[in-house]
Structures are given as C-alpha cells and as structure tokens.
C-alpha cells in the first residue's frame, strides 16, 4: 500500500531518473540562470532607477541597489542585445527547467523531512528554489505575452522574486556542486547499473533512452528559441517568432509600419489635444518656454538611426528619427552646452505606467537624443507618439516617452 504513495521511492518508476541525468541538466541551468540573473540586473540598471522614483518600480530595495550605475548611451543597441538575450534565453530554458524539476520530484516527497541540519538546509533550499523558479519563469512568460494578470506590478514582483530565486539557487549550487561533479565524472562499466537516491528501486520498462530524453529536451529548447528569437530582428526572421506577440508580420506598411507597445487609443490620447492648434510643449528649467510644433520646426533639426527595445524582449531595427536635440532644448531652457542637467519627461497619457520618465544628464547630452517629430521621413503617426516623442540611444523603450507634453530640466 505504501508503494502507492509518492512518499515511497517505489512510487516513482521511471527508469530515466538518475544522478547523472539530473547533474547534466543542473549544469545547463547553472550556466543559463547565471546569464539570466546578470542580464536581469543589467536590464534593471538601464532604467536608472536611483535617478527618480518614477523610473523605479521596486520601492525599498535597500542594499539590493548596490550595483546601479549610470546607464550609457553607447553602443546604441546595448539594451536591445541585453534584453533580447534575457527573454529569449529564459524561454529556451523552460524545457530544461521542467526536465530538471521532473528528475528531482521524488525528493520533494522524501521522508523524513530532515535527517540532519545539512539535509534540512538542502530540503529548504530545494523547496524555495522550485517555488521561486516557477514564479520567475511564469511571471516572465506572462509579461512577454503581454498578459498582465499579476497581483500587483510586474516590476517589483519579478525583481524581488529574482533575488529570492537566486539566493536559493546559489545555496543549492554550493550544497550540490561536489555531488554533481562526481556524477558527471563517474563512468559506468558495461552492464553496471546507475546507483543513487534518484534511481527507482522498481523501474518500469524504458520507452526512451536517457540520450533520447536529452535530445527531446534540447529539441524543445531549440524550437522555443526559433519561435521567439525572431522578434529581435528585422526582415524574414521576424516571421518565425510565432510565439511572440511582436513577431510575425509587420504591423502595416509605410514609414510608420513597425512595432509598437501601446496605441494612442489604448491610453486615451485624443485627436483634439494633439492637434497643431491645441498642443504646446512646455520646456522648463532656468526659464520656461512654450512651443508649438511649428516653432519646434524653426529650431535646428537633426537625425539619428536608432532602434526601440522593450523589456518584453522585442525590438525594432534602426528607424530614422528626426527632431530637436534634447541638449538644444536644454539650452533653450537656460543651460549652457556641456552643462546639461537631468530631464523629467511628462506625457499627455493620463494613465498607465511610465507616462512620466527621467533621463540622466549623459542621455540628454548625447547628440542622438532627440525630441522626435518625424520617423523614416514622415511625421510621427499617433501610435508612434505624434506630435512629439523622446528617442534616446540604448534606453529601454518605456523611457522613450510618446505624446510628450512637458520637459523639465534640472537636477533629479
């Protein structure tokens, strides 16, 4: 009767389970999750979260903000590469993670719960690791799929969950690394059966070999890679990203036919407030000026070829933007060239996250940072931010504020 319960080792009859399979999957996850954690920290730093509370969606982070640094503007594709790697790798690792959890699931039901202090620590780290890993991967996938069904904001949930996950991951790695190395190095002689606590004492007949199982996991990861990675590229490769909301065909044609994250209608932008008669840009600093779109055209206009990259992992290729340099607008607000301060940007958008954003002085100073009025030779479309939007090299997409109404220069 006890063999019918998951607490009995005989309940788990798969002949594939064993320390070597588990160790191989663990090594892959060790490398992959380390890259995920580093790229996640880099992505968070790209928001310049210690610059202004509006950029930081993770309150009371305390010592967890120790790694923050001024985000650079070069190379301009830096955030695109980092976030594309973070999201695409995370999705590709899902089959490996599920296989790893399947390989160790008997240990979650093991009795007694703790045989010693070391065993208790190992079990605790395993439970926290499994729970936090599932939480991180599930919230990450939901965010990439634009399914914002979280009990709160994605940013603090994913941020703090990542720290819990990585702490459990490090503790588990330290405890299990010697065993993993022994399992990988161990060679079985001909006819010798694998031994270990994960091996079933009463295995069923195999339907696939361990090598076949590893090939299935690897093939599944390659399939997810092929159906996701294309959202970071232009041209035909984007057609392969069938599992990504911003993959597939381009959204329309013409100069404005490239991906967007939110439409003007979705955030309540009305045509009567963006018309040439109604809209005015307020530029504040040591002095305040109000500019119509026609008056902005009287200022020197510059061009820059820059991509847009989003936290969900999608990006566009370089688009040709044309508008007024932010540093020229800072000069208009009373600041000398070379002494540009930080910038606080406000949108006509009345609801939703990042309707306000802060940019560092180095971002304002970069000659490619624009208040864009045109894209690809034509005026901005409403969905791309008409009458004016921010475009800054290497900045996360949400900091490239659309439908700009006010620019406030000063120390933040």
């Amino acid at each position: 009767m006890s063999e019918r319960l998951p607490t009995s080792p005989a309940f788990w009859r798969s002949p594939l389970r064993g320390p070597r399979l588990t160790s191989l999957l663990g090594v892959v996850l060790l490398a992959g999750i380390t890259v995920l954690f580093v790229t996640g920290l880099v992505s968070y730093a790209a928001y310049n979260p210690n610059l202004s509370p509006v950029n930081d969606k993770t309150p009371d982070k305390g010592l967890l903000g120790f790694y923050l640094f001024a985000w650079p503007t070069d190379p301009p594709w830096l955030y695109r590469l980092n976030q594309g790697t973070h999201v695409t790798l995370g999705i590709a690792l899902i089959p490996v993670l599920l296989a790893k959890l399947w390989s160790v699931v008997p240990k979650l039901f093991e009795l007694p719960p703790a045989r010693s202090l070391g065993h208790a620590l190992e079990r605790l780290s395993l439970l926290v690791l499994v729970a936090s890993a599932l939480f991180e991967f599930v919230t990450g996938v939901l965010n990439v799929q634009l399914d914002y069904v979280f009990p709160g904001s994605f940013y603090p949930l994913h941020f703090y969950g990542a720290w819990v996950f990585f702490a459990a991951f490090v503790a588990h790695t330290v405890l299990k690394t010697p065993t993993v190395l022994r399992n990988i190095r161990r060679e079985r002689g001909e006819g010798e059966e694998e031994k270990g606590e994960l091996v079933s004492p009463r295995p069923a007949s195999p339907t696939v070999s361990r090598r076949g199982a590893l090939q299935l996991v690897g093939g599944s990861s390659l399939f997810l890679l092929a159906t996701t990675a294309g959202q970071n590229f232009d041209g035909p490769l984007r057609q392969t990203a069938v599992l990504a909301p911003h993959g597939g065909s381009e959204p329309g044609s013409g100069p404005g036919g490239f991906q967007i994250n939110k439409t003007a209608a979705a955030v309540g932008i009305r045509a009567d407030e963006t018309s040439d008669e109604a809209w005015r840009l307020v530029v504040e600093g040591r002095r305040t000026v109000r500019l119509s779109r026609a008056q902005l055209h009287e200022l020197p206009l510059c061009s820059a070829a820059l991509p847009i990259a989003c936290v969900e992992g999608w990006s566009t290729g370089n688009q040709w933007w044309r508008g007024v340099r932010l540093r020229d607008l800072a000069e208009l607000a009373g600041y000398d060239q070379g002494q540009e301060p930080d910038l606080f940007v406000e949108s006509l958008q009345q609801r939703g996250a990042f309707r306000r954003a802060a940019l560092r002085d180095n971002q304002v100073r970069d000659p490619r940072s624009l208040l864009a009025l045109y894209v690809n030779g034509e005026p901005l479309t409403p969905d791309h931010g008409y009458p004016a939007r921010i475009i800054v090299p290497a900045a996360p997409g949400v900091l490239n504020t659309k439908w700009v109404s006010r620019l406030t220069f000063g120390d933040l």
Side-chain angles (χ1 to χ4, degrees):
M1 180 65 69
S2 62
E3 292 184 357
R4 297 181 181 179
L5 299 176
T7 53
S8 169
F11 176 85
W12 308 98
R13 301 195 60 199
S14 173
L16 299 183
R17 286 193 180 91
R20 188 173 176 83
L21 174 67
T22 298
S23 297
L24 288 172
L25 294 171
V27 168
V28 175
L29 286 176
L30 174 62
I33 287 174
T34 300
V35 174
L36 284 183
F37 188 71
V38 171
T39 52
L41 291 182
V42 171
S43 176
Y44 182 64
Y47 284 76
N48 287 319
N50 62 344
L51 177 62
S52 170
V54 300
N55 283 15
D56 192 358
K57 305 303 179 182
T58 55
D60 304 320
K61 62 182 181 292
L63 294 177
L64 299 183
F66 72 91
Y67 54 84
L68 297 179
F69 54 92
W71 187 249
T73 56
D74 274 312
W77 41 260
L78 178 60
Y79 188 76
R80 185 184 189 190
L81 173 64
N82 181 84
Q83 200 59 19
T85 300
H86 182 77
V87 170
T88 304
L89 177 61
I91 291 176
L93 283 176
I94 289 175
V96 184
L97 174 68
L98 295 178
K100 169 73 171 178
L101 294 179
W102 171 85
S103 74
V104 299
V105 70
K107 292 183 67 64
L108 297 177
F109 296 91
E110 190 179 71
L111 293 176
R115 297 191 296 266
S116 64
L117 178 60
H119 184 247
L121 290 174
E122 179 187 339
R123 292 294 299 280
L124 180 61
S125 72
L126 181 62
L127 289 172
V128 175
L129 180 64
V130 170
S132 58
L134 291 175
F135 177 83
E136 284 298 285
F137 277 81
V138 168
T139 55
V141 169
L142 288 174
N143 185 64
V144 169
Q145 295 298 321
L146 310 181
D147 291 327
Y148 304 116
V149 293
F150 318 109
S153 172
F154 166 76
Y155 296 92
L157 289 173
H158 203 67
F159 177 82
Y160 291 119
W163 278 108
V164 172
F165 171 48
F166 198 70
F169 180 73
V170 169
H172 189 72
T173 299
V174 169
L175 290 169
K176 301 300 292 184
T177 293
T179 302
V180 168
L181 294 177
R182 285 196 304 271
N183 290 334
I184 291 178
R185 291 171 180 168
R186 183 180 297 139
E187 295 289 343
R188 297 205 314 267
E190 186 176 353
E192 182 183 348
E193 294 184 357
E194 187 175 24
K195 299 177 181 179
E197 56 185 348
L198 292 173
V199 177
S200 174
R202 195 166 61 89
S205 299
T207 56
V208 65
S209 66
R210 285 196 177 99
R211 177 174 295 181
L214 288 173
Q215 290 173 343
L216 176 62
V217 172
S220 299
S221 290
L222 288 175
F223 172 77
L224 291 177
L225 178 68
T227 53
T228 303
Q231 66 176 335
N232 295 290
F233 299 92
D234 303 316
L237 195 57
R238 190 177 289 272
Q239 305 292 326
T240 68
V242 295
L243 296 185
H246 290 89
S249 60
E250 299 289 344
S253 59
F258 57 94
Q259 281 70 19
I260 59 172
N261 206 28
K262 52 190 175 185
T263 65
V267 296
I269 301 297
R270 305 189 314 272
D272 61 343
E273 60 185 342
T274 60
S275 67
D276 290 344
E277 294 75 21
W279 181 82
R280 295 294 181 271
L281 174 69
V282 179
V283 181
E284 292 184 309
R286 291 173 178 165
R287 57 176 174 259
T288 300
V289 295
R290 290 171 58 87
L291 300 168
S292 66
R293 206 167 187 274
Q295 289 171 315
L296 285 170
H297 281 85
E298 296 174 1
L299 300 174
L301 298 184
C302 300
S303 298
L306 296 172
I308 296 177
C310 193
V311 69
E312 287 100 355
W314 63 271
S315 59
T316 73
N318 284 343
Q319 311 298 324
W320 277 99
W321 306 92
R322 186 165 178 80
V324 183
R325 292 183 298 187
L326 295 184
R327 68 185 191 184
D328 290 342
L329 291 169
E331 186 177 4
L332 200 63
Y335 294 91
D336 296 332
Q337 284 198 4
Q339 302 297 320
E340 292 85 357
D342 305 325
L343 172 61
F344 189 74
V345 184
E346 297 176 75
S347 172
L348 290 172
Q349 180 182 344
Q350 296 298 310
R351 61 180 185 273
F354 294 104
R355 62 186 181 274
R356 299 175 297 169
L359 300 173
R360 284 194 185 278
D361 56 351
N362 66 307
Q363 294 174 310
V364 174
R365 197 171 298 120
D366 193 294
R368 297 163 297 181
S369 296
L370 304 175
L371 178 74
L373 306 174
Y374 295 87
V375 62
N376 298 324
E378 296 290 337
L380 296 170
T381 65
D383 289 342
H384 283 302
Y386 184 88
R389 69 168 296 162
I390 297 293
I391 186 72
V392 173
V398 290
L399 298 186
N400 293 313
T401 309
K402 298 194 284 188
W403 313 294
V404 175
S405 63
R406 183 181 297 266
L407 301 176
T408 303
F409 293 92
D411 294 331
L412 298 179

